Every structure is written in C-alpha cells, then in structure tokens.
Amino acid sequence: MHHQNIKITVLLFVLLEVSLLFGQQKPNIVFILSDDAGYADFGFQGSTEFKTPELDKLAKKSVKFTQAYVSAAVCGPSRAGMLTGQYQQKFGFEENNVPGYMSSSGLLGDQMGLPTNQLTIADYLKKQGYTTALFGKWHMGNADLFHPTKRGFDEFYGFRGGSRSYLPYDKNNVLTKNEDRLEKGFGNYLEHKGYLTDKLANEAISFINKNKKTPFFIYLSFNAVHTPMEATKEDLKYFSHLTGKRKTLAAMTLAMDRAIGTVLDELKKQGLDKNTLVVFTNDNGGPSDANQSNNNPLSGTKANHLEGGIRVPFLMSWPGKLKKNTTYNYPISTLDLFPTFLNVANGNSSKLKQLDGVDLMPYVKGENKERPHKVLFWKKENRAAIRNMDWKLIRFPDRPAELYNIKKDISEVHNLAYQYPKKVKELYKQLFAWELTLERPLWQLRREFEGYAAKRMDAYKKTNTK
Amino acid sequence: MHHQNIKITVLLFVLLEVSLLFGQQKPNIVFILSDDAGYADFGFQGSTEFKTPELDKLAKKSVKFTQAYVSAAVCGPSRAGMLTGQYQQKFGFEENNVPGYMSSSGLLGDQMGLPTNQLTIADYLKKQGYTTALFGKWHMGNADLFHPTKRGFDEFYGFRGGSRSYLPYDKNNVLTKNEDRLEKGFGNYLEHKGYLTDKLANEAISFINKNKKTPFFIYLSFNAVHTPMEATKEDLKYFSHLTGKRKTLAAMTLAMDRAIGTVLDELKKQGLDKNTLVVFTNDNGGPSDANQSNNNPLSGTKANHLEGGIRVPFLMSWPGKLKKNTTYNYPISTLDLFPTFLNVANGNSSKLKQLDGVDLMPYVKGENKERPHKVLFWKKENRAAIRNMDWKLIRFPDRPAELYNIKKDISEVHNLAYQYPKKVKELYKQLFAWELTLERPLWQLRREFEGYAAKRMDAYKKTNTK
C-alpha cells in the first residue's frame, strides 16, 4: 500500500469517527400523534374526567404550546402538511381521501395520495443519517406507490388507511377495506394480537432497542382515539363516572397514555431520554359528534375552521435544551415540525424555499421574541380562515364571513364582522391573495358532505353567537 | 291479402299522412348566437354608435326580453347550459375549457368537453324528426368524441374551439391551435375564402335551401364578435365616428348583422319565415377590456356575476304565434331554450326531470302570468350569485357578499348588504342548498385566473358603489 493511500485511509477513519460522534450528538426525534382527540381531553389540558398521567408527566418536562394549530381540520390534509412542512393545498391535498365518498371528478380510490414529487420530513431526516420509522396510521394514500417505505420511512408497522379496529380482524371482526389491514414493512400483512394501541408502542420500543446507536426518527401515529369506539374492559373500569361513548373514549385515551408512557420509559431505560426531542400533538379537533370528545373552551369540531377544529394540544420536550414545565403562547403550526426537526438534525431548513413552517427552536428558547407567524391560513374549497395576529376571519359558503378577536374571545362567540367591516375586507383580501398561490384539489368529496360539515359546525358552535 | 291486413295497411297509410302533415306543421327553429357582444351594442338595445338594421328589423317582429340571463359569464359553460337545458355545474362543466391555461388537477387538453352522457337539444330535436345543423363555434370539446356530429347535429360547418380568425389561416395568418381549423362534417378540414361571418351565413342558407321540406333546427353560432379584432375595410368605413377596437367591434357587429339578415331573407324567400321560430341572443356579457364592448347600463363584464357578465340581449320571433314588437319583462334564462324548442317541436319537456329551464311559450303568450323563475343561480368555484325575485346576492372569495335590488338598481351601484343582513343570510342559505346538488368541476383554470377575474370586474364596476 502506498503511503498516500494509507494517509487517505486514516483520514477516512477519522472522518467516520467524527461522523459517528457527531451522529450520536444528533438528537433522536419521537413525534407522537393522536387522532381525533378533544382539545380538553387530557389532564395537562385541564381535564378532570379523563386520566392521562403519562402525558401529564411529559407536560411537566415540556414546553406546552397554548396556541398550536394544525393546517387542516381533518386528518389527511393535516398530516400531509405536517409531513411536508407546507400548506398541503399547494400540491392539491385539500380534502380527505376517503374512497367511496368522493366526487367522480378528480382522482379516485387508491390513486389519491401524497403526490410522489413531495418529499417528507422522513426523506430529509434519512439524508441527515437518521433511521426512520412509522408506527400506526398512514392515510397518505393506499396505492403501493404512496407506501411509507417509499416516502422516507425505513420501517413501517401499521395500516395505510385513515382508521381501523383496535382489535385484530378475523371472522368475528370482519375487514371491509384493504387499507385497514395491518402491515409490517411492505406488503407483509398479518393481524396483531391484543389491543392495537399497545402493539404500536411495543413495536416502537423494539425499534428503539434495535436502533439506539444511531439517531432515529419515530413517527408514532396512533389511530387512537379515532372511531371505532373500542376499549378494553380493564380500561373501562377506571371511568365509572362516565357513560356511553364518553366512557369508551376515556378508556381509549387512557390506553394511549399508558402506551406513550411505555415508549418514554424505554427511552429512559436506554439512556436516550436526554438526547431525544419528543413532540406530542393531535391531528385535528375532536369530532364531538363521532366520539364525544370535548373541545372546551373552544367552539366547533373536527372538519370546521372554528378553533375547535384546528387548535390542538401540543407538547415539546428536550431535556436540558428546552425549559421544562413552561408554556409558549404565540400561535404556532404543525407545519413548523418539519423545519424544527430538520434543523435539530443538523439540516438547514432555510435552504428549502417551499416550506411554510418555521424552526420553532429560536422562539421557544427565547432567542427570537417575535411571533413565529403573524398570519396563518386554512382552506377547504370555499370554506377558509385566516388568522392575522389576534384577528380571525372565517369565510363560509352558506353565510356571511365572521370575524373574531381570538385573544379576547377564545370561544368565538362574539362575531365582530359588522363592527369592523374594514378589518373584514382587509383579511378577505389577504386570504384570497394566499389562495391564488394554491393548486386545485386533486380530488374532492361529494358536494353533499359540505352540507354535513356546515350542520356539524352549527351543532357544536357555542350558542350565544352574536 | 286478407281483409284484416288491408285494413291495417290503410290505417298505416293514414297515420303516415297525418304524421307527414303534422311534421310539416312543426316549426323550423333558428337559434342565432353572438359571442362576447356588449349588452348595449345593438340598435334594438339602444345603441346609437353601432348599426344593426337587420336585428332591429327582427326586434320589431319579436318579443324582446329585457331580463334574459345566461347560466354562466363565460362562453363554454354558458353554451353547455343552453345545449342541455340544465345548470351545467350539475355535470361538472363549471369553467371554460382552455387548453394551456388549466390547472394540472382534473381533465386536461382535448379531453375537456361536454360529457357524452349528456344529450343536447339537437339530440332531442332529431328524435322529433328535425334535421339539425351547427354553423360556427362549438367549444364543447376538441376531442373527436365530443364532435357536433356525435352530439345531435346532422351537419356541421365551423370549428371546435372557442374563437378563431375571421380570415382563412394560411402562411400569413398562421394556425396555432388545431381546434381553430375550419371543418365541414367530421374531419374535413379546409379553410374558407373571405370573411368567416359571411361564410357561416352562406352555409346556413345552403342548408335551408336543401332542407326546406322537413322541419330543421339551425344553431347559427357566430364567433363574432369575439376576439381577434378583425373587420373588413368596407365595414370599417361606416364608423368614422369611432376609433380603435371600438371601431373594429362596430364593423364586426355590422358584418354579423348583415349575415343574419341574409339568413332571415332566405327564410322569407323560401316561404318558411311564418313557420320558423327565431331566437337571437348572446353567450355572455361583453368583455369590455378585450373588445371594447359596452354593457351599459349594466355594471361588470364577461367573466363576473354582475349583470354585465350574465344579462344578454334576447329576441324571439314566431310570426302569427307571438306578438311582435313587444317586451317580456320577467327574468328568463337561456336554460329555457331547450324546453321551449323541444315543446314547439311537439316534444314533451315535462318528461325530462333533469331540466332546469322552463318552456317560455305559456309565459310569452300570456297564458301563465307568473314569473318563469323566482330564483336563478350562477356559480364558478367560490364565486356565485343568486337572484331571488328582485334581490340579488353576489358571493365573492375576496370580499364580503354584496346585495342588490335589481329592479331599483339595474347598475348594481347600491350594495344593500349592510342594510339587509337577514336577506343576505337567507339568500346565502338558498344559494348553498343549490350548490350541494352540483358535481365538482371536471377541470379548472389555474388559480391565478381567479385573481384576474376579480381585477377585471373591479375595472368595469360602476364606481359609485356604496
């Protein structure tokens, strides 16, 4: 071997060592997402009816965001926004993909999904040397071409659809949609045993065990507490003070909380807790009608643009790096997760001009005292909303637009549109200017569902609206 | 031959004779449509600048409708509504099909067209024994499957697209879009000589000559006075009092008027004028910006829902059957043409539950003194309008909805939305309920064009809006 070659080999070894050392310094990222939970249905959010001891413990170690927003009031678009860091309407992912409920115009069935020209945060974290895994619900398309293992995730254990039974499908619990089948990796379908919420956590724990020496990204995407309403007898016992769906929801939430606890315990057990950024949030507001979730003090539900549809619980913990048991009170968005995760992984989000989210770290650490977002937008077809500072305009297809001061009126009961017509006009213009930058929807639900959405909102709107 | 058979044969002959006699009594129908003309740009509409002696002569023999509406503010959807008698949004024809300007979501290029499961008035009139012909602009799809000869028209001379040169395409006047080529029948492409407006009339005259013994339906669909702005030197001479595009438009209008005159003269020459129902109207409001058309006293232009975008000149003549030189003042729609034509052809429009138009005859004859339509709707995406009796609500994506009393304020300058909030809410609900019955658009223009539409409306909105 020539001296020259030896030198190069030594250099490569040194670089590898530096890289490994550096890799170990990169924090693990554990992103835990619940599904359809109510804003008020956690101990750390003030619930006295529900029990979430593990999340409450996490909250004490976390920054709690009091004004965290999702980018859509339903699961699919909201997750598309989180995964790409962009307003999902920019690439036509404006509505839920629910085969069987769609209009005949546009993409149909399994062809609806996160466009393959969009990279996910998992794609980017892989480039940063992360091992990436998704456990649970995908909902970004049922066709093989949209599969998590083709969208940046090294490992996948879960289901492709939007919701499924917590119990194994068998002759007594019949599978009706292919996308509900449990799958490990690509195409390996095998139903689990026991209660799915526990199983997802167990899979995450195995993954942590296997991957503790490299930085990893876990997207722990519970279907809990989405319908169907299925809880174990053991968990139901804790809620004798509740009845009906509300009781079942409480038990489902407790199971999820316990499962989250086991994952967080495993991080500690492996000595990884100090170097792991943990985020917990929820994909959209609680569908009070479907699962009796409680969005108090917010008006509205899943699928509408009142706060109850788009504001979610949000915790972020990173021991030693972020102050624990604090709150952050300016509005943030789940679009911010992408740049925040990328940057803690030593990436550079400022190079990605497509991003609508911002890196939250400088804000949370107090290095930047401005608002992360002066303006946030929401849109599904004609229905849309804009929040500019503390003003919020909601535009409807079936009634005049409403204006609220969110700071003074968190429950959106005092419509100020008639008192501030100039503000209404100003926000209308700003909303429309944003809309002009968007793509048309790639698919759309049948029109009748817009009617249901309006009724659903009215049913759960606080009643003393002016 | 048995006596029984002889009797049946005789009976069949008698029936045949009655049928032939009856067939001859069915009136011919000549439906003349101009393109992008201004509301005020005809003598019979009060113009002193333009010369339309032939149409003015027709007006004196006609019922003139003072509140005739099209179902869309642009060509394609408006024509789809006329041809099917239905709100075209019911089958997803909500926007113009302009290859090259479309969003990537939905149908593209030549695949955009009037869905083949929709039958046209020509299909129905053929069933009633009519010989049917289209001369001029089609704009219901460029692909072969949408061709006029497959949509109820026995004869076609014209072009598949939305506008074209009035002069032949050749090396000096280069064809840029295939759908602009002149075609006779199916697939026989050959450019004309001379000025296209004259040629279309000449083709109609030949058709009348050939088909005078059977009832016929002519859809004389001028591209005049759509852009490009091309007039003959001879016609320009009459308008020394005008300049620029306005002068050219006047000359183009005069050419169309003269061409219409030659067709009406031919009907008379052939002795068919007494038994021919003639309708003249325009496909949408004048695009004042593109061709300097004049929509006075109406506000707005083509492509918006102010009266200037959707109210059109409308004449109906049927000697001996309808009173001449009269006006009909209740709102009607071009959706009414389908049932009106079908019923005069001895069809029965009441059997067709899909129709949104009504047979105008009982109204025009004074047999029914009610309004033909208490409510009319317009919609393009978020933008929409409803007219209920004399109230009109216009819903916008970029500003609060506006309310007008059309009877008292034909120019829509006094927005009453703030004075009548209850009326606004009521009309919003009614509009939305209608929208829920519609299909999603099969294709959509790129979003940026919605921004242009708003600017275009503002540019030509009467300025003293409250």
Side-chain angles (χ1 to χ4, degrees), chain A residues 37-40 45 65-73 281-286 294-299 301-302 304-314 328-332 334 378 387 390 392 405-412:
Chain A
Y39 187 71
Q45 290 287 94
F65 294 73
T66 56
Q67 300 201 61
Y69 289 103
V70 285
S71 63
T281 189
N282 185 44
D283 66 344
N284 48 244
N294 179 354
N295 293 320
N296 273 333
L298 311 178
S299 278
T301 72
K302 175 178 179 176
N304 63 66
H305 293 135
L306 290 163
E307 295 285 294
I310 55 177
R311 195 193 286 206
V312 288
F314 194 109
Y328 185 82
N329 297 313
Y330 277 142
I332 64 143
T334 47
W378 297 266
R387 178 168 174 178
D390 290 324
K392 182 176 167 193
N405 184 311
I406 295 300
K407 192 168 188 178
K408 295 181 185 165
D409 179 21
I410 192 176
S411 302
E412 290 166 295

